[in-house]
Amino acid sequence: DGGITQSPKYLFRKEGQNVTLSCEQNLNHDAMYWYRQDPGQGLRLIYYSQIVNDFQKGDIAEGYSVSREKKESFPLTVTSAQKNPTAFYLCASSDHPGLAGGPVRTGELFFGEGSRLTVL
Amino acid sequence: AQSVSQHNHHVILSEAASLELGCNYSYGGTVNLFWYVQYPGQHLQLLLKYFSGDPLVKGIKGFEAEFIKSKFSFNLRKPSVQWSDTAEYFCAVKNNQGGKLIFGQGTELSVKP
């Protein structure tokens, strides 16, 4: 089945350690996103990528890094510089409404099941 | 900067009551609008979306939303809620040049049986 796979589902890390969260999609989507979900704050955008080898900072990019070397993959690294890393991280992908041709594109996001990171 | 505001943080209703969740956004251009739902323990899924045409959009499970451009609003409605509608609901806005999707803070809906 087509979809988005995030791993690991749960992750514990000690302070000062970097950790990388995996996100893979087989939907052939151009755009991929990382959000952080905290209670009462909704989803906040960390980074997004509209095409391979390109990505942009979202609203809360400090302390995070990403890469987009392949269309299917958009890993997120939570670095030791992130002051409050304990959170639920969601990866998403979408087609790109700006691209011409094919079916109507709306930019609907499809989400993975999330990765819960706890810093001890 | 583009922003999305959901006015109700927590709504508690009895079964069969009507529901309206508010969503306002700040972007002045053409937008795509979405409502997502997150049931307890599940991942986010799309309820409905608007990108052009009829401003009254019907989604899954009896939900609908109306895009009112003059008010920059996209409120979610359901005439009669069920216990199974208990979830967190997120409004999201994306400008139609592509780019980032911005979410509101979310509204937690609790439906009492």
Side-chain angles (χ1 to χ4, degrees), chain B residues 44-58:
Chain B
L44 275 156
Q45 54 187 284
L46 184 71
L47 260 186
L48 48 79
K49 61 190 176 191
Y50 169 84
F51 53 98
S52 66
D54 188 343
L56 184 61
V57 179
K58 297 203 184 292

Side-chain angles (χ1 to χ4, degrees), chain A:
Chain A
D1 282 357
I4 301 178
T5 303
Q6 287 187 243
S7 63
K9 200 167 183 179
Y10 298 96
L11 185 62
F12 297 87
R13 150 195 135 175
K14 292 182 180 178
E15 276 192 26
Q17 288 181 333
N18 291 356
V19 61
T20 297
L21 307 180
S22 169
C23 178
E24 304 278 330
Q25 55 103 353
N26 61 4
L27 299 167
N28 198 32
H29 283 165
D30 295 299
M32 296 187 74
Y33 307 79
W34 275 105
Y35 289 90
R36 172 181 169 139
Q37 186 177 12
D38 296 285
Q41 298 192 58
L43 277 71
R44 292 181 290 166
L45 183 65
I46 304 172
Y47 268 97
Y48 64 108
S49 167
Q50 297 189 60
I51 202 164
V52 175
N53 292 322
D54 186 46
F55 49 83
Q56 286 80 39
K57 292 182 179 180
D59 300 315
I60 55 165
E62 186 175 348
Y64 299 98
S65 66
V66 294
S67 62
R68 186 86 188 276
E69 296 174 2
K70 298 187 297 182
K71 188 175 185 177
E72 308 79 37
S73 178
F74 191 42
L76 173 75
T77 297
V78 184
T79 75
S80 56
Q82 167 49 232
K83 300 258 187 285
N84 186 20
T86 293
F88 188 54
Y89 291 88
L90 285 165
C91 179
S93 71
S94 73
D95 58 19
H96 196 307
L99 294 178
V104 174
R105 298 166 183 260
T106 64
E108 173 189 343
L109 261 65
F110 293 82
F111 284 87
E113 296 199 343
S115 293
R116 189 167 295 281
L117 172 64
T118 303
V119 174
L120 304 172

Side-chain angles (χ1 to χ4, degrees), chain B residues 4-32:
Chain B
V4 180
S5 178
Q6 291 181 242
H7 314 297
N8 314 103
H9 296 295
H10 192 187
V11 173
I12 302 173
L13 295 173
S14 297
E15 276 195 315
S18 64
L19 170 72
E20 181 160 1
L21 301 182
C23 173
N24 287 89
Y25 64 93
S26 64
Y27 185 69
T30 304
V31 293
N32 296 333

